């Protein structure tokens, strides 16, 4: 079953742990995303604690720096017991290779599986107009995303973070086992919030997403566990 990754967009450990108790009845623990806000507040020790509890963790820090710095950072992150982590594909080929090397080295030191390296192409908050007028990228959005995804794959990434709408075009250029992890998922009737390029869980499935990331529609729901179950069912309806 393809994963629905719950984005834990909470301020602190207490709020996060309270939320996760709502999933105690689940037959299998959900895959969870720890982002910048929570990581910078609670730090690596909290990630280790979550991993020790049996959660598969997507640590979403979107690293982008000179290759050596990224490699050393990834060595540390790989020892936390995480399943996925992220970089910006815009960091270039040497940085992507360094990130992969750091993850492999760090995981080996800790005797853990190497986390999947996911590259961010263009954030789902970026519109085509912003790409052209603010970032001064001449390529259309889809062509830019394909180019960055190919760069990432050629240099060791296991997948990309992209909009669901871009998956069909990416599938034409990338191997079958390459991962397409898609945020910007909003059930029918949900607010878009600050996401510009969105899809429903069913649309993401039809478009070929390998996994979806869902935050506020679950975390702000009156019935988070039931909402998660419904989204999971909708996303995997045709598997």
């Amino acid at each position: 079953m393809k994963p629905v990754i719950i984005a834990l967009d909470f301020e602190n450990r207490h709020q996060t742990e309270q939320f996760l108790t709502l999933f105690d009845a689940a037959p299998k623990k959900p895959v969870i995303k720890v982002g910048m806000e929570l990581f910078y507040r609670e730090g690596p020790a909290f990630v280790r604690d979550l991993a020790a509890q049996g959660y598969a963790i997507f640590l979403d820090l979107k690293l982008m720096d000179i290759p050596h710095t990224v490699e050393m950072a990834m060595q540390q992150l790989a020892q936390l017991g995480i399943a996925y982590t992220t970089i910006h594909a815009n960091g270039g080929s040497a940085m992507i290779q360094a990130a992969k090397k750091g993850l492999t080295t760090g995981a080996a030191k800790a005797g853990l599986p190497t986390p999947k390296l996911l590259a961010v192409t263009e954030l789902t908050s970026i519109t085509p107009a912003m790409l052209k007028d603010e970032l001064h990228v001449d390529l259309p959005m889809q062509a830019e995303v394909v180019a960055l995804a190919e760069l990432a794959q050629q240099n060791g990434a296991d997948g990309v973070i992209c909009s669901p709408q871009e998956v069909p075009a990416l599938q034409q250029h990338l191997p079958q086992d390459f991962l397409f992890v898609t945020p910007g998922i909003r059930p029918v009737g949900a607010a878009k919030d600050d996401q510009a390029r969105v899809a429903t869980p069913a649309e993401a499935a039809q478009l070929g997403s390998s996994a979806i990331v869902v935050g506020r529609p679950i975390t702000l729901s009156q019935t988070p566990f039931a909402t998660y179950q419904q989204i999971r069912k909708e996303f995997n309806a045709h598997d």
Side-chain angles (χ1 to χ4, degrees):
M1 186 169 276
K2 296 181 296 187
V4 173
I5 303 170
I6 303 175
L8 300 178
D9 297 323
F10 298 108
E11 291 183 6
N12 55 49
R13 174 191 286 258
H14 177 69
Q15 291 177 0
T16 304
E17 290 176 340
Q18 274 195 320
F19 174 80
L20 289 174
T21 62
L22 301 174
F23 293 80
D24 286 347
K28 184 178 179 182
K29 290 183 184 293
V31 183
I32 55 176
K33 179 173 88 76
V34 174
M36 296 179 190
E37 180 181 18
L38 190 56
F39 185 78
Y40 294 150
R41 170 65 182 257
E42 301 295 349
F46 184 48
V47 176
R48 283 196 185 92
D49 289 347
L50 290 170
Q53 293 171 42
Y55 289 101
I57 300 166
F58 170 21
L59 184 58
D60 187 20
L61 302 181
K62 300 182 180 72
L63 299 190
M64 184 171 174
D65 210 314
I66 63 171
H68 178 74
T69 298
V70 170
E71 181 180 344
M72 295 300 102
M74 285 298 188
Q75 280 195 30
Q76 298 301 320
L77 298 184
Q79 297 178 58
L80 301 180
I82 60 174
Y84 312 87
T85 193
T86 51
I87 54 171
H88 276 286
N90 275 311
S93 58
M95 191 205 77
I96 298 167
Q97 292 172 25
K100 185 70 171 186
K101 182 180 177 184
L103 287 177
T104 303
T105 302
K109 282 183 181 179
L112 294 167
T114 302
K116 299 292 187 185
L117 179 63
L118 304 175
V120 176
T121 53
E122 291 295 343
L123 297 169
T124 51
S125 57
I126 300 294
T127 64
M130 292 168 65
L131 191 71
K132 181 182 181 218
D133 299 334
E134 297 181 19
L135 304 181
H136 306 290
V137 174
D138 292 331
L139 290 175
M141 177 68 75
Q142 184 171 287
E144 169 70 356
V145 168
V146 168
L148 289 171
E150 288 183 316
L151 177 72
Q153 188 273 330
Q154 290 162 6
N155 289 282
D158 300 290
V160 288
I161 309 293
C162 62
S163 164
Q165 287 91 343
E166 293 146 3
V167 173
L170 290 168
Q171 287 178 321
Q172 296 176 31
H173 297 268
L174 293 153
Q176 283 191 342
D177 61 350
F178 200 65
L179 300 175
F180 304 105
V181 179
T182 59
I185 304 301
R186 293 293 184 267
V188 174
K192 287 187 177 181
D193 300 307
D194 53 357
Q195 301 283 6
R197 308 196 308 282
V198 301
T200 67
E203 289 169 343
Q206 291 163 5
L207 291 165
S209 297
S210 309
I212 56 175
V213 182
V214 187
R216 285 164 283 191
I218 295 175
T219 59
L220 298 181
S221 170
Q222 294 297 312
T223 54
F225 181 52
T227 300
Y228 164 74
Q229 287 182 306
Q230 179 57 38
I231 291 172
R232 192 164 174 259
K233 180 180 177 181
E234 187 179 335
F235 182 49
N236 287 281
H238 301 293
D239 273 15

